[in-house]
Amino acid sequence: MRPLTRAAAFALGAVAGYAADARFADPRRGHPVALFGTAATRLERRLWRDGRAAGTAYTALCVGAVAAGALALDRTVGRRPLGRAALAAAATWTVLGGTSLTREARTIGRSLAAGDLTAARERLPHLCGRDPSALDGQQIARAVVESVAENTADAVVNALAWGALAGTPGLLAFRAVNTLDAMVGHRSPRYARFGWASARLDDVAGWPGARLTALLTVAAAPEPRTAWRVWRRDGSAHPSPNAGQAESAFAGAVGVRLGGTLHYGERVEHRPVLGEELRPVTVDDIERACTLSRRVGALALGTTVAGHVLLRLLMRRGTA
């Protein structure tokens, strides 16, 4: 029996890791991403200065350490096909968050369906950074659908896309970049300059996966023409170069209107409306968005695994 090629071993591991996320979701304790966040927080306390140079050094150290460690581990453990597959499986399970995403969204949806607005407001911060105190049921449902769309790109498709491009190191390095953006990349007095590099790097790293998410959303949509139309028309209207791609495609695919005024604590953002001609979000649309997210994730797995195998094949032929 011929041994697994490097590409086949990664593909096998990616499928196993995706299945592990679908079955077990994120571990409740000792999650590697949480451990990375703890280490990054400690480093931030030492390096923080109110300037871009300090933030750039901080970002380079955090992401560089993860990428270098993953590359060294890949070269060591990956010498054997089964070790390579096991490493890819562990890394894929670590970086994916699709199952936890839809579980949180559905928990909020059940609270809204039961009329328990207090429980829904208490749970919303587990999903996104908005201030839920003044939101009504319809606004919370809209926030959930928008978060499912954006995080389908960040927590599923983008990670898999970087795995296709760079294998296990790509998976882990992207998760480090995305985690740093969530920690220091937002606009606030403390991070306006220090978090600039993390935010910009996340924009660059998220560019390919955001467009792939939109394309796969169109493919998975009940009405692909509507999803395509809203995405192509409204995708670039969003202030984020990436979030609007997924959100506009989801708006068209689910058939709802997204965007508008958002509250983040004391900060208020007035964003363009995505799918203005469509109906407002209802509680039932949360389940529709979750189902769509799972379909997009499955398509992303197949697309990126096939892409990785093809890329490795082309590289081998080029070397030969």
Side-chain angles (χ1 to χ4, degrees):
M1 182 177 179
R2 297 177 64 182
L4 289 173
T5 65
R6 190 174 190 86
F10 174 82
L12 178 62
V15 171
Y18 186 93
D21 175 71
R23 175 64 180 86
F24 303 110
D26 293 328
R28 296 182 180 274
R29 296 181 181 180
H31 196 295
V33 175
L35 297 177
F36 168 78
T38 300
T41 298
R42 291 175 179 172
L43 183 62
E44 179 198 336
R45 292 173 186 154
R46 292 177 175 271
L47 296 183
W48 187 89
R49 301 289 186 278
D50 190 16
R52 289 185 176 182
T56 300
Y58 167 76
T59 301
L61 283 172
C62 290
V63 177
V66 171
L71 186 59
L73 194 61
D74 186 54
R75 288 181 175 178
T76 302
V77 179
R79 291 176 180 175
R80 295 181 178 275
L82 290 180
R84 197 177 303 137
L87 181 61
T92 302
W93 184 20
T94 295
V95 303
L96 292 184
T99 300
S100 294
L101 169 66
T102 54
R103 282 184 181 178
E104 287 291 344
R106 284 168 170 150
T107 297
I108 298 171
R110 285 192 293 270
S111 296
L112 290 176
D116 193 345
L117 190 58
T118 299
R121 285 173 174 163
E122 290 176 351
R123 200 69 191 178
L124 186 63
H126 290 79
L127 195 63
C128 63
R130 300 180 198 179
D131 179 7
S133 59
L135 300 182
D136 60 24
Q138 193 278 330
Q139 291 169 324
I140 291 176
R142 192 193 87 194
V144 171
V145 172
E146 290 173 351
S147 296
V148 168
E150 182 177 0
N151 285 294
T152 297
D154 284 343
V156 182
V157 182
N158 251 314
L160 290 171
W162 279 101
L165 292 171
T168 298
L171 287 168
L172 296 175
F174 173 77
R175 179 52 59 217
V177 170
N178 192 241
T179 302
L180 285 183
D181 178 61
M183 293 174 62
V184 305
H186 47 85
R187 298 174 183 175
S188 68
R190 179 176 176 84
Y191 297 126
R193 286 178 285 275
F194 183 82
W196 174 84
S198 292
R200 297 292 77 76
L201 183 59
D202 185 68
D203 287 343
V204 173
W207 196 95
R211 276 81 189 159
L212 178 59
T213 301
L215 284 171
L216 295 178
T217 300
V218 171
E223 295 290 340
R225 290 183 179 180
T226 303
W228 173 267
R229 184 184 74 250
V230 176
W231 168 45
R232 299 306 298 158
R233 186 191 65 203
D234 298 340
S236 299
H238 197 283
S240 166
N242 297 325
Q245 305 296 316
E247 288 186 24
S248 60
F250 262 70
V254 180
V256 295
R257 184 166 61 245
L258 300 178
T261 302
L262 307 176
H263 295 268
Y264 294 92
E266 298 180 355
R267 180 167 57 90
V268 178
E269 288 188 13
H270 300 284
R271 295 181 179 177
V273 175
L274 310 176
E276 188 172 9
E277 73 278 15
L278 303 176
R279 61 177 175 80
V281 178
T282 66
V283 174
D284 291 339
D285 292 317
I286 293 177
E287 179 57 35
R288 295 187 181 98
C290 289
T291 300
L292 180 62
S293 175
R294 301 305 289 171
R295 290 175 180 170
V296 170
L299 287 175
L301 176 66
T303 301
T304 55
V305 163
H308 180 78
V309 172
L310 178 60
L311 182 61
R312 296 292 302 185
L313 179 62
L314 292 174
M315 291 174 63
R316 286 177 61 188
R317 288 186 176 180
T319 302

